Amino acid sequence: MRRSKARPIVEKFFEWCDAQVDTVLDETPISAAITYARNQRVALQRFLDDGRLPAHNNISELNLRRQVVGRRNWLFVGSDDGAVTNTRFVSLLASARLHDIEPLGCLIRPS
């Protein structure tokens, strides 16, 4: 499916990038995006040849979103000690999620 459906789309995208590179203004967001795509062409095409790699980056985007939202909230932890405690909990919860462990079990001490 990737070879028959996705490869033509990816190839067309990179052809478009190559055609646009000389027409976009330098130091604009579209110029930066085209330059990035062209520089990362091999990495961005890797999913076409390796079926183990997902064709999307939803997991990465979800994790990045958590960091962005958290960073905004963590500005108001109250003190340096609060920031250290918050960092420990966030790290513990992220590790539990990564290993498919119920986080509440890590936080509550058995009686």
Side-chain angles (χ1 to χ4, degrees):
M1 285 302 265
R2 292 178 190 214
R3 287 189 186 111
S4 65
K5 302 245 183 209
R7 187 175 299 277
I9 295 169
V10 171
E11 288 173 355
K12 201 170 208 179
F13 169 73
F14 283 111
E15 287 172 12
W16 178 84
C17 287
D18 293 339
Q20 297 300 312
V21 73
D22 292 327
T23 63
V24 297
L25 296 174
D26 293 340
E27 299 187 27
T28 59
I30 189 69
S31 175
I34 289 172
T35 301
Y36 175 83
R38 293 178 78 223
N39 288 341
Q40 300 297 321
R41 183 182 307 227
V42 173
L44 293 170
Q45 290 179 323
R46 191 167 293 137
F47 82 98
L48 295 170
D49 299 317
D50 188 347
R52 296 172 299 173
L53 298 175
H56 56 78
N57 68 345
N58 292 349
I59 294 170
S60 299
E61 291 289 336
L62 178 64
N63 289 328
L64 182 60
R65 178 169 167 63
R66 284 188 188 118
Q67 294 302 319
V68 170
V69 170
R71 182 175 34 215
R72 214 174 344 172
N73 294 335
W74 300 330
L75 287 172
F76 306 103
V77 293
S79 67
D80 289 345
D81 289 339
V84 170
T85 302
N86 181 59
T87 302
R88 288 180 180 152
F89 277 113
V90 168
S91 177
L92 177 68
L93 293 172
S95 294
R97 188 178 308 115
L98 181 65
H99 296 288
D100 290 328
I101 297 171
E102 170 57 42
L104 193 56
C106 298
L107 299 175
I108 296 177
R109 211 180 312 176
S111 45

